[in-house]
Structure formats: structure tokens, C-alpha cells
Amino acid sequence: MTPQKEDYLKVIIELGGDKDLINNKLIGQALSVTAASVTEMSTKLLKDGYIIHVPYQGVQLSEKGLKVANQMIRKHRLWETFLANHLGFTWDEVHDLAEKLEHVSSNVLIDRLDEFLGFPTSDPHGGLIPDREGRTMDKDSLPLQELAEGDGFFILEVDDDAEFLKYLSEKNIRLDQYYRVDKMEAFEGPVYFRDEKGNEYQVSYKAAAKLLVEKQ
Ligand SMILES: [Zn+2]
């Protein structure tokens, strides 16, 4: 399987194509490619049995496609964990490296890496790591902007987007840290919160929507 095909299956699962039909337009936007190349790739993947196609509605992963997509996510997230925890790369740096490494890693290499890391269940930005069978743990999360003033929370997961991760790093916002909401400004204004030491933080409303938290 080519890296392009692997990325394509990964994008479909990230858009929710494990459960729902995803239209070509969304896939094209996510991969920054034209509608024509999406159609061309869909035809190939359909022929190989990786996806199911419903005319005028979109595509969905077949069982075979889901297996590959989960394996790609597993590889990506295990590499991100290794790069961040053992080689000292920052949140925003690990993604691009993992994008390359995921395509050149055999399943045996990845299983060894998983063992070396102690079978982690989530990556440095909280994304769940599928196990060898493609299973992930369930967790209850909601976007930060849905909390109320006074609510305590942990950040479980943040959007895997280098620019956004850099934004958070610069503000020194981390996972595994307890915070409490101070103030949510009306009309989609900023969200203010603080940690247990009293340090204050502020994120825009848009950023708060991309922070998945667990309410305490
Ligand atoms: Zn990533």
C-alpha cells in the first residue's frame, strides 16, 4: 500500500468515516487536493475493498479499510509519544516527523515500540492510541467552551495541528494539569482559567472549542 493510500484512509477515519458516510468535498479539503484526485483515489480504494461507496452521499471505511486506518493512527501516535517523551521534541514538532515515520514502520517495529513505551493509551496531545487489535479506551470529553464559571477540568485532548499546539505551548497550557474556569466572557469572548498555583491563563473562544476536557 502506498503512503498516499494510507493517508487517505487515515483522513477518512479522522473525519468520522468509521461510522458515517463522508463526502468527497470534505476529504479533498482535509488533504488539500482537488475533487478529481479524490475521485481517482476513491476508485482505487473501492476496487481494493478498503472503502464502501454510496452514490451522491460519500464513502465509508470497510472492515479491511478500518483495520489499516487504525493501524496508521497507532503508528502515528506511538511515534509522537516516543519523540516527545524520549527525544525531547515539543508538541508542535512531533506531528510532521510522525507523518513520515508512520509510513516506513512495520507492524513488528511498532509492536516493539509500543512495548518499549509501556503500552501507553494516549499520545502527547491526548489522542487515544489504538492497541494491536485497533481498540481504544472510551472517555467522556467535551469542549472547554461548554463548561461554566467555577468548573474544574483536565485537558484530555487537543487538536493535532502544529500551529494550535504551538499556540498552547507558548501559553504554557498542558495536559495532566488541573485547572478551574475563572470567567467565560459573553458573546464568544475569551475563556479565563487558572491552575492550582494560581497562575492565570486565557484562550480565545475558538481555541476553547478545540480543547477537549474532562469536567471534574
Ligand atoms: Zn500528529
Side-chain angles (χ1 to χ4, degrees):
M1 177 164 255
T2 64
Q4 286 82 359
K5 284 184 184 172
E6 290 174 340
D7 279 339
Y8 201 94
L9 294 175
K10 205 173 65 166
V11 158
I12 297 175
I13 198 175
E14 282 166 356
L15 292 170
D18 48 338
K19 300 181 197 82
D20 302 314
L21 286 160
I22 309 300
N23 72 46
N24 280 356
K25 204 176 150 196
L26 277 178
I27 298 168
Q29 279 168 359
L31 287 166
S32 308
V33 297
T34 63
S37 44
V38 174
T39 307
E40 195 190 325
M41 184 59 97
S42 290
T43 309
K44 286 184 197 162
L45 291 168
L46 191 64
K47 204 173 123 238
D48 295 340
Y50 291 107
I51 57 171
I52 298 157
H53 177 245
V54 177
Y56 307 108
Q57 289 189 45
V59 298
Q60 194 171 351
L61 294 172
S62 67
E63 207 172 306
K64 187 178 167 188
L66 186 62
K67 225 172 153 188
V68 176
N70 269 322
Q71 190 62 241
M72 294 316 294
I73 289 179
R74 171 172 162 80
K75 290 177 177 179
H76 184 93
R77 294 184 173 171
L78 284 171
W79 278 122
E80 287 194 337
T81 306
F82 176 74
L83 293 166
N85 297 355
H86 293 275
L87 300 186
F89 287 96
T90 59
W91 269 15
D92 50 306
E93 290 169 332
V94 296
H95 180 77
D96 288 347
L97 288 164
E99 278 294 316
K100 297 191 183 84
L101 290 166
E102 68 188 29
H103 298 296
V104 294
S105 309
S106 68
N107 291 350
V108 179
L109 170 60
I110 287 303
D111 289 347
R112 294 264 179 97
L113 183 62
D114 194 15
E115 192 182 347
F116 173 78
L117 294 169
F119 305 105
T121 52
S122 57
D123 73 10
H125 37 83
L128 294 177
I129 301 174
D131 67 11
R132 291 178 61 159
E133 263 56 65
R135 291 173 305 224
T136 50
M137 282 188 350
D138 282 336
K139 61 180 182 184
D140 281 327
S141 62
L142 71 169
L144 174 60
Q145 104 271 34
E146 286 179 22
L147 296 189
E149 288 175 15
D151 282 344
F153 66 92
F154 280 100
I155 299 169
L156 286 180
E157 185 174 1
V158 302
D159 243 29
D160 187 9
D161 157 339
E163 223 173 301
F164 184 55
L165 293 168
K166 199 163 168 231
Y167 169 88
L168 296 175
S169 291
E170 279 167 7
K171 289 177 176 282
N172 207 15
I173 294 168
R174 313 188 274 117
L175 301 185
D176 308 320
Q177 164 90 43
Y178 179 78
Y179 299 105
R180 187 173 288 281
V181 179
D182 271 341
K183 191 170 185 278
M184 322 257 312
E185 218 153 81
F187 302 107
E188 305 191 351
V191 176
Y192 300 88
F193 51 96
R194 66 178 71 216
D195 62 26
E196 284 174 298
K197 289 184 193 138
N199 298 312
E200 294 175 15
Y201 305 86
Q202 179 203 331
V203 294
S204 69
Y205 184 86
K206 262 194 171 168
K210 289 164 144 235
L211 286 171
L212 294 176
V213 305
E214 183 182 24
K215 193 173 150 185
Q216 292 294 303

